[in-house]
Amino acid sequence: MYAMSTSKRSYHHGQLRQTLVDLALEALETTDPEAVTLRGLAEQAGVSSMAPYRHFQDKAALMQAVAVAGFTELRNRLRVVDDADNPRRALVAFAGVYVRFAYGRPRLYRVMFGGPPPTPDESLTEDETTVYGLFTLRLGQIVEPPRREEVLLTCWSLLHGLSSLLISGRIRSAGAAPEQLGERLARTALAGLVGPER
Amino acid sequence: MYAMSTSKRSYHHGQLRQTLVDLALEALETTDPEAVTLRGLAEQAGVSSMAPYRHFQDKAALMQAVAVAGFTELRNRLRVVDDADNPRRALVAFAGVYVRFAYGRPRLYRVMFGGPPPTPDESLTEDETTVYGLFTLRLGQIVEPPRREEVLLTCWSLLHGLSSLLISGRIRSAGAAPEQLGERLARTALAGLVGPER
DNA sequence: TGTACATCAGTGAACGCGCGTTCACTGATGTAC
DNA sequence: TGTACATCAGTGAACGCGCGTTCACTGATGTAC
């Protein structure tokens, strides 16, 4: 039982780890990753600048946790539009959601893909729980084993590339919203790679 | 006439700008972009740490010049495999060269795509001289105007995405060399997007 | 129900770091006459 | 061919910066008995 509702801060914060991650996520809405500082986050949490070290080995570990949170969020968004009965439609929707996520949270996306890939972790390696597990799953329903790997790689590269280029301002989604561009390219790519829609 | 061959350094370096860019390119072969310092480059050039400011407004400007050099190098490599008489073959070769370049010089590639897109500059905007101008050109020979833009975007995204994911270690080109993976995906994508090879 | 004690989660001061950059300066070079 | 002088390309010392992190410490909490 924590006295979280009182404005008076107790000596023990009680939720510091999660608070720090949340604050970092929030900061990344307006601040570039390099400019997000451990000290700043600690201050915002109302805690000394050393307190975070109780919960994270170092700054990199915190950012890693932020990246994981980003993947979790993305995964959740993908799940909303998932549809096991219509894998093709699901994949196109995935593309839209993916690009929208990246475009909407560019700095978070950069954190997610900037560092080294997350070490295999129980919350991330289970196929269906990972972002790419969802792609694999739905793609697996509509493309045969020999080409499966190749198509998956192509789709992933396409989406990541499109997202990155949009984020860095190298391409603009003329007129249309980014997610529509994502969906359009995905539809075309699927038509080409998997065959025409039935 | 410069006394460049003498080991004795004259007060005026004479080639400092180019030397700094070259040293940066060299450093990026083994050192991450964040760890490449102006001071370090100056020291390597045998010059005071302030000398670079005669040639670049600030560090960012130097890195920008490095990025431009990277694009020039990439463009030159693409030209080697270009083939106006067989645009399809040229495009597949482009894909291989592109991915090989990115995979072979990952830190340089990151510098090229990390910063803001280069400001329009006479050496980069001329269509045929830009990297993407070459793609546009060859793609333009085999796909009709309405879909041209879309196919270009797809190819570029695919290559950039694949390169980025390879670089960050998120995917591995199992067995095959990266450029072969690039060529393979490009061939498949072109077959799907443009139609079967004639 | 109380108490002792291990453990956990904070504090606060201080430091090292090495970078980019400022400042005022000086040596070298090219050119007009 | 010489000379005066503007301009260019360097020097060298110093600083501010704010970060991540170390260190030794203390207050709060949970649990065994």
Side-chain angles (χ1 to χ4, degrees):
Chain A
M1 190 69 108
Y2 297 105
M4 290 306 290
S5 53
T6 66
S7 61
K8 183 93 180 73
R9 269 269 157 50
S10 67
Y11 188 91
H12 281 192
H13 184 285
Q15 307 271 19
L16 187 53
R17 188 192 154 92
Q18 189 57 47
T19 300
L20 288 170
V21 171
D22 290 344
L23 284 169
L25 287 168
E26 196 184 315
L28 286 172
E29 279 170 23
T30 54
T31 313
D32 283 346
E34 317 83 67
V36 173
T37 70
L38 213 47
R39 295 171 96 104
L41 295 173
E43 190 183 7
Q44 280 182 73
V47 115
S48 81
S49 53
M50 273 313 293
Y53 287 89
R54 281 292 136 198
H55 302 274
F56 300 98
Q57 205 191 348
D58 54 21
K59 191 193 180 185
L62 198 170
M63 293 316 271
Q64 176 90 305
V66 169
V68 170
F71 277 108
T72 304
E73 164 73 10
L74 176 54
R75 181 200 67 190
N76 289 343
R77 292 200 199 178
L78 292 176
R79 278 189 175 152
V80 170
V81 299
D82 191 17
D83 182 354
D85 297 330
N86 194 339
R88 183 116 178 195
R89 172 185 286 273
L91 283 165
V92 171
F94 285 172
V97 166
Y98 188 100
V99 174
R100 182 197 183 83
F101 174 80
Y103 192 78
R105 310 228 39 192
R107 298 173 198 83
L108 173 56
Y109 189 81
R110 245 192 286 151
V111 168
M112 291 162 62
F113 285 93
T119 54
D121 173 278
E122 69 290 340
S123 74
L124 274 184
T125 46
E126 276 299 304
D127 250 5
E128 287 201 282
T129 64
T130 65
V131 168
Y132 304 110
L134 276 172
F135 279 91
T136 311
L137 201 62
R138 298 295 158 246
L139 220 34
Q141 293 179 260
I142 57 173
V143 44
E144 302 307 313
R147 303 198 54 224
R148 205 177 266 173
E149 185 68 16
E150 183 175 274
V151 175
L152 177 63
L153 214 54
T154 301
C155 288
W156 186 9
S157 295
L158 175 58
L159 287 182
H160 177 59
L162 180 61
S163 298
S164 302
L165 292 172
L166 278 168
I167 286 175
S168 74
R170 280 203 159 67
I171 58 179
R172 245 170 290 280
S173 76
E179 72 237 57
Q180 284 164 340
L181 185 58
E183 290 187 4
R184 189 152 62 82
L185 294 196
R187 224 185 310 263
T188 311
L190 285 178
L193 297 174
V194 182
E197 207 149 352
R198 278 156 305 181
Chain B
M1 192 70 112
Y2 297 104
M4 290 306 290
S5 53
T6 66
S7 60
K8 183 91 179 76
R9 269 271 156 47
S10 66
Y11 189 90
H12 280 193
H13 184 283
Q15 308 270 18
L16 188 51
R17 187 193 155 92
Q18 189 57 46
T19 300
L20 288 171
V21 171
D22 289 345
L23 285 169
L25 287 168
E26 195 183 315
L28 285 172
E29 279 170 23
T30 54
T31 312
D32 283 346
E34 318 81 68
V36 173
T37 70
L38 213 48
R39 294 169 95 103
L41 295 174
E43 190 183 5
Q44 280 183 72
V47 115
S48 80
S49 52
M50 273 313 294
Y53 287 90
R54 281 291 136 199
H55 302 275
F56 301 98
Q57 204 191 349
D58 54 21
K59 192 194 181 185
L62 198 171
M63 293 315 272
Q64 176 89 306
V66 170
V68 169
F71 277 107
T72 304
E73 164 71 10
L74 176 52
R75 181 199 66 189
N76 290 342
R77 292 202 200 177
L78 291 177
R79 277 189 177 153
V80 170
V81 299
D82 191 18
D83 182 353
D85 296 331
N86 194 339
R88 185 116 176 195
R89 172 186 286 273
L91 283 165
V92 171
F94 285 171
V97 166
Y98 188 100
V99 175
R100 183 197 183 84
F101 174 80
Y103 191 77
R105 310 228 39 193
R107 299 173 196 82
L108 173 56
Y109 189 81
R110 245 193 286 150
V111 168
M112 289 162 63
F113 285 93
T119 53
D121 173 275
E122 68 290 340
S123 74
L124 274 184
T125 44
E126 276 299 304
D127 250 4
E128 288 202 281
T129 64
T130 66
V131 168
Y132 303 111
L134 276 173
F135 279 91
T136 310
L137 201 61
R138 296 297 159 244
L139 219 35
Q141 293 180 257
I142 58 174
V143 43
E144 302 307 312
R147 302 198 54 225
R148 204 177 268 174
E149 185 68 15
E150 184 175 274
V151 174
L152 176 64
L153 214 53
T154 301
C155 289
W156 186 8
S157 295
L158 174 59
L159 288 182
H160 177 60
L162 180 61
S163 298
S164 303
L165 292 172
L166 279 168
I167 286 175
S168 73
R170 282 203 157 69
I171 60 181
R172 244 169 293 279
S173 77
E179 71 237 57
Q180 282 163 340
L181 184 58
E183 289 186 4
R184 189 153 60 83
L185 294 196
R187 225 184 310 263
T188 311
L190 285 178
L193 297 174
V194 182
E197 208 149 353
R198 278 154 301 178

